[in-house]
Amino acid sequence: MQPLSHLSTESSRWKPVYEDLLRIVLSSGAHGQIVDVRDALRGVVKADRPLVMMCPHPDDGAITAACMLHEFAVERGLPVIEVLVFAGERNVDAPWLNNQKKVTVREKEFRLECDVLGAEPVCWDLDAYRSPGYRPTAADLDKIVGWFDQRKPGALIIPPATDAHMAHRMTRCFAAIGLIGSGLADTMVMSGWTPWGPLPQPNAFFTYDEQAERTKEWAINCHASQVKLTDYTEFCNHLGRAYAALTREWSEGHSLSGGRPSRSDVNAVGVELFRIERFDPTRADLLASDPIQIALGILGGHLDPSSLHDLVPATA
């Protein structure tokens, strides 16, 4: 990095803290560092290493990554799994149904979505959903680690660490537990950008055309109990097109292909955004707030699990 010391002599209003502030931004990465996620996933998702979407609730997969899931499952014929972590029956506005019937409704909607996208549906029945603060039991942890050990995701899509919903943040924690417990150091971890939690500095995008957009609409409309409350079909259409405009702005030359003419750029009407997660040893704040950073640090040999106690805040 170019030294900033000359500014102290050239600026009449110089303060030493200015250099620290500038260094924070200058070390955060260059503008336009956003890649096509297809390139990043090449060779990662294979016949024995599926692409896994961890869904805190039944409709999260459709809203976050329907177009990408469908392309990999149907057009590429690669294994794609959607894992339903929490049933989400609390958000079914049908007072004439008891809780078990509501669970059945949402699980059926989830399986229907998976049929549309070509994904394998997996429903976890975790005690954590019935516990205050989504605290897991020992049986839950055994189930999570055992599943990761058996299925060995090649790539994993999870909610962002900044998500406002506790169930979404706990899903991210369960992913970290599964990765550490099964020793999957080579799994590519991606945070998906959803309407519920902004994604700081996305670094990967997936373009989709009008036909794929219709597939996303179908997948979202599988969740009739939710569309009745909020029209996520229209919502996600607008978001996808806004993300496409943002991605063109972030990628150099206002092009989704980094300045090179591309058919996918010309036909793209929308974008699904992701952040490919990597361990950042310079961010102590992330170690204190993001389980995935800890998981990546441990699996990459950068962190000693026994030394993390002082970094993580105590719980009640």
Side-chain angles (χ1 to χ4, degrees):
M1 183 187 301
Q2 184 178 359
L4 301 171
S5 55
H6 68 285
L7 295 176
S8 62
T9 58
E10 296 175 4
S11 171
S12 61
R13 297 181 178 271
W14 174 256
K15 292 181 184 295
V17 69
Y18 296 169
E19 182 169 345
D20 297 323
L21 298 175
L22 289 166
R23 287 186 185 282
I24 290 172
V25 178
L26 292 172
S27 63
S28 65
H31 172 68
Q33 289 187 333
I34 186 166
V35 300
D36 191 324
V37 77
R38 294 175 177 88
D39 297 332
L41 286 170
R42 186 176 293 116
V44 173
V45 179
K46 299 176 284 190
D48 59 341
R49 301 297 302 274
L51 171 61
V52 175
M53 172 81 213
M54 289 188 66
C55 307
H57 301 110
D59 55 349
D60 289 330
I63 291 171
T64 302
C67 296
M68 186 171 78
L69 297 175
H70 182 262
E71 177 174 307
F72 275 77
V74 176
E75 297 183 25
R76 302 191 181 205
L78 291 167
V80 173
I81 302 172
E82 288 193 64
V83 176
L84 178 57
V85 180
F86 300 118
E89 78 276 5
R90 298 169 188 168
N91 204 34
V92 175
D93 185 20
W96 57 90
L97 298 177
N98 61 32
N99 283 342
Q100 187 52 50
K101 289 290 186 181
K102 291 178 181 180
V103 169
T104 301
V105 166
R106 295 221 69 183
E107 286 189 355
K108 285 182 176 179
E109 292 175 343
F110 173 73
R111 294 180 186 278
L112 182 59
E113 175 203 309
C114 289
D115 284 343
V116 169
L117 299 181
E120 174 189 343
V122 172
C123 297
W124 285 352
D125 181 18
L126 299 180
D127 297 324
Y129 192 56
R130 295 173 286 276
S131 301
Y134 301 93
R135 289 176 181 245
T137 61
D140 288 343
L141 299 182
D142 289 345
K143 180 181 293 187
I144 292 165
V145 174
W147 190 89
F148 270 77
D149 194 46
Q150 179 187 22
R151 302 309 298 265
K152 294 180 169 53
L156 188 65
I157 307 171
I158 56 177
T162 53
D163 202 304
H165 201 308
M166 181 64 169
H168 290 225
R169 300 198 303 275
M170 188 58 78
T171 295
R172 187 178 180 91
C173 184
F174 290 165
I177 289 169
L179 291 170
I180 294 172
S182 56
L184 290 173
D186 60 346
T187 296
M188 189 173 111
V189 182
M190 298 181 291
S191 298
W193 196 348
T194 70
W196 306 286
L199 188 62
Q201 291 186 305
N203 57 19
F205 64 91
F206 182 90
T207 56
Y208 58 82
D209 58 18
E210 289 185 351
Q211 182 175 343
E213 185 178 61
R214 287 193 294 274
T215 301
K216 192 179 184 88
E217 291 173 359
W218 268 95
I220 293 173
N221 276 291
C222 291
H223 303 273
S225 67
Q226 304 308 295
V227 174
K228 176 180 177 295
L229 300 172
T230 305
D231 189 356
Y232 283 114
T233 305
E234 183 177 1
F235 194 22
C236 286
N237 282 352
H238 289 308
L239 281 174
R241 290 167 187 254
Y243 294 165
L246 287 171
T247 303
R248 290 188 176 98
E249 174 68 23
W250 291 327
S251 58
E252 303 296 349
H254 297 271
S255 169
L256 297 179
S257 54
R260 303 182 304 276
S262 166
R263 181 182 175 186
S264 64
D265 189 8
V266 172
N267 295 331
V269 299
V271 156
E272 292 171 336
L273 281 173
F274 303 92
R275 178 170 179 81
I276 300 172
E277 300 289 356
R278 299 180 179 90
F279 176 65
D280 187 348
T282 67
R283 297 287 302 277
D285 59 315
L286 292 181
L287 291 178
S289 63
D290 185 3
I292 286 295
Q293 275 292 302
I294 292 177
L296 295 177
I298 292 172
L299 292 168
H302 308 290
L303 295 177
D304 177 0
S306 63
S307 66
L308 295 173
H309 182 75
D310 293 336
L311 293 174
V312 181
T315 58

